[in-house]
Amino acid sequence: MTVGEVRNILNAGVLCGQDLLDVTEIKSACGADMMSDVLAFVKDQGMLLTGLTNPQVVRTAEMMDINCIVFVRGKTPDPSVVRLADDKRIILLTTEERMYPACGKLYRAGLSEGSSGKATA
Amino acid sequence: MIHLRYEVDGSDFVSCGKASEDVKRTLKNIGIPSEIIRKIAIAMYEGEVNMVIHANGGLAEVEILPDRITIVLTDTGKGIPDIPKAMEEGFSTATEAIRELGFGAGMGLPNMKNYSDDLKVESRVGEGTKVTMSFIL
Ligand SMILES: Nc1ncnc2c1ncn2[C@@H]1O[C@H](COP(=O)(O)OP(=O)(O)O)[C@@H](O)[C@H]1O
Ligand SMILES: [Mg+2]
């Protein structure tokens, strides 16, 4: 699904990357508040849902080639974090949904965890 | 051969990851495949985070050869008393404050081992730690 559809499903606000919503296709996602847990799964994570808003969330996404971050529970990062993401062309969304229902709604709409698996080098 | 060198500021959690970011950009520019870049970027980023949260910063050096990339992370932090223990998944001495920032899951060194072709950790308590990672291209 596109990030535009994700935005609709989660009734989310767009913090940056508005122009990318309909051209960015997401095939899989993960939800986590521990960045190393995100970093442990290397494959095709197009999107990250998290309750954290510090700059390292954006850096983690960049290392993983994640195109979109969704902040749950209505969290909004500092403007500096939005700028960091915008510079890297990473889309930031914010939703009032809590983590579990946010993931559940996306999963039900067809967004799975994809082909992610533990990387063996 | 390309040689890159970065001072990693241990007092600045906000800019932590900049060295890894720059290495990622460089590898992209020279045309390394993106799956390989991702592994290198993640492993180096975990190492960079460790230098910031456990060792007050340090030095990151990257050597890019036609057939391999070697990353050496050196710090003069508190050192690791029990390296095999530190390598275990889930082992962490990180504080609650660090955990609230999303780190300290004890997955950093295991991730670095998984993503690199070779990982060597040398450490002396009270003197510092040297982490060497190699990636075969
Ligand atoms: N550069 C370092 N200097 C001192 N201690 C370190 C360093 N890197 C790792 N450690 C120790 O090894 C443990 C495990 O590291 P890691 O697997 O990255 O987990 P985490 O960083 O989440 O604690 C750390 O909690 C810390 O005690
Ligand atoms: Mg770590």
Side-chain angles (χ1 to χ4, degrees):
Chain A
M1 66 179 70
T2 64
V3 176
E5 291 173 83
V6 170
R7 189 241 349 240
N8 294 343
I9 291 165
L10 299 179
N11 195 15
V14 182
L15 302 173
C16 67
Q18 178 80 49
D19 58 309
L20 299 171
L21 292 189
D22 296 324
V23 294
T24 306
E25 189 75 27
I26 301 290
K27 293 197 180 67
S28 62
C30 64
D33 282 348
M34 287 308 247
M35 292 305 112
S36 286
D37 286 342
V38 180
L39 293 162
F41 296 91
V42 76
K43 274 187 196 156
D44 297 332
Q45 296 291 10
M47 189 167 79
L48 167 66
L49 293 94
T50 185
L52 294 184
T53 58
N54 71 67
Q56 297 309 325
V57 175
V58 175
R59 296 212 194 272
T60 297
E62 147 139 87
M63 300 307 160
M64 300 291 291
D65 299 314
I66 285 173
N67 300 317
C68 175
I69 303 169
V70 181
F71 299 110
V72 296
R73 298 194 301 278
K75 298 268 175 87
T76 304
D78 280 353
S80 63
V81 174
V82 177
R83 271 197 305 278
L84 184 68
D86 205 18
D87 283 349
K88 301 178 188 310
R89 303 304 280 145
I90 294 172
I91 305 164
L92 298 185
L93 302 180
T94 177
T95 177
E96 293 298 325
E97 301 276 6
R98 284 164 296 121
M99 180 71 94
Y100 183 73
C103 294
K105 284 179 181 180
L106 294 172
Y107 202 99
R108 195 170 53 197
L111 191 64
S112 72
E113 60 184 330
S115 58
S116 65
K118 221 170 226 181
T120 41
Chain B
M1 190 194 89
I2 302 173
H3 191 255
L4 306 166
R5 191 176 183 278
Y6 308 88
E7 309 267 356
V8 176
D9 184 348
S11 63
D12 186 4
F13 181 74
V14 169
S15 63
C16 176
K18 273 197 170 153
S20 308
E21 220 174 84
D22 191 73
V23 169
K24 189 170 192 235
R25 200 176 310 121
T26 305
L27 297 179
K28 204 170 177 175
N29 288 342
I30 61 174
I32 307 288
S34 62
E35 307 79 44
I36 297 180
I37 296 181
R38 210 184 292 167
K39 290 199 296 181
I40 295 170
I42 294 170
M44 179 166 170
Y45 178 56
E46 288 280 16
E48 206 181 333
V49 170
N50 277 355
M51 286 202 292
V52 173
I53 66 179
H54 302 299
N56 280 310
L59 185 69
E61 287 170 286
V62 182
E63 189 181 69
I64 305 170
L65 294 170
D67 62 336
R68 71 165 54 225
I69 292 176
T70 307
I71 298 176
V72 183
L73 307 167
T74 323
D75 67 61
T76 53
K78 61 184 188 302
I80 304 175
D82 184 343
I83 294 173
K85 188 90 203 156
M87 291 301 307
E88 285 174 16
E89 288 193 5
F91 176 83
S92 176
T93 60
T95 60
E96 194 47 42
I98 295 291
R99 247 183 272 277
E100 277 166 16
L101 292 166
F103 290 90
M107 289 302 296
L109 286 169
N111 283 349
M112 289 154 78
K113 187 175 169 57
N114 274 340
Y115 293 138
S116 61
D117 290 299
D118 187 55
L119 169 75
K120 193 166 81 183
V121 181
E122 299 158 276
S123 191
R124 271 176 190 275
V125 174
E127 290 180 24
T129 301
K130 180 177 172 185
V131 174
T132 308
M133 290 183 282
S134 316
F135 303 84
I136 295 163
L137 296 178

